[in-house]
Amino acid sequence: MADGIESMRTFAGALFVFFILTSIGKADQDFGSGNFMLPHCQHFMTDNYRFDVWDGDCGGTIDTLLFLGKALPDGFKVCRPKGATGSQAGRIVVLYMQSHPQDLHQPFRALAMIALHEAWPCP
């Protein structure tokens, strides 16, 4: 009986170590950062017919910021010019992230909001 309990403890310990080791790389990856989202936004802008959930998250975030534009906090309001498209907004966000690599550790949503505000501020 003691051998069975000891075997279970060994197995549980090995399983715990396995989960810790396999999650180390995932814990370092910040799914909400500009670093993670930049390639997905680039892909979303180049191939709208074959994208994954993260590409869609990029487009959805940009569309939401455009929709909320004037309701965003002061200093971040976005007033899209008449006739400006969502694709233009996507290119603005991608270009901003490419031009500010030092900020890519920041949350993607904040970077997108800043990019759109700088391009299309409200009067």
Side-chain angles (χ1 to χ4, degrees), residues 38 40-42 44-46 48 58-59 61-63 66 80 84-98 108 112 115-116 120:
L38 177 57
H40 294 286
C41 289
Q42 291 169 321
F44 181 76
M45 296 307 303
T46 60
N48 284 331
C58 175
T61 296
I62 293 168
D63 285 345
L66 292 175
R80 175 174 33 175
T85 67
S87 292
Q88 284 176 285
R91 288 192 299 274
I92 288 167
V93 171
V94 168
L95 182 61
Y96 180 87
M97 289 195 297
Q98 290 171 331
F108 163 68
L116 293 171
W120 297 329

Side-chain angles (χ1 to χ4, degrees), residues 7-123:
S7 295
M8 289 297 286
R9 285 185 183 156
T10 302
F11 176 74
L15 192 59
F16 177 74
V17 170
F18 171 77
F19 283 120
I20 294 296
L21 291 176
T22 57
S23 67
I24 287 174
K26 293 176 187 170
D28 290 341
Q29 193 168 25
D30 182 3
F31 295 108
S33 73
N35 280 317
F36 181 80
M37 290 301 295
L38 177 57
H40 294 286
C41 289
Q42 291 169 321
H43 185 250
F44 181 76
M45 296 307 303
T46 60
D47 189 358
N48 284 331
Y49 297 104
R50 295 179 48 206
F51 58 87
D52 65 22
V53 68
W54 296 110
D55 298 359
D57 186 38
C58 175
T61 296
I62 293 168
D63 285 345
T64 301
L65 290 171
L66 292 175
F67 177 77
L68 294 175
K70 293 180 182 178
L72 293 170
D74 289 338
F76 296 101
K77 293 183 186 308
V78 175
C79 291
R80 175 174 33 175
K82 185 173 182 161
T85 67
S87 292
Q88 284 176 285
R91 288 192 299 274
I92 288 167
V93 171
V94 168
L95 182 61
Y96 180 87
M97 289 195 297
Q98 290 171 331
S99 300
H100 296 85
Q102 72 279 7
D103 295 331
L104 291 179
H105 64 283
Q106 299 293 333
F108 163 68
R109 287 172 176 83
L111 295 172
M113 187 168 51
I114 292 167
L116 293 171
H117 170 73
E118 286 186 7
W120 297 329
C122 293

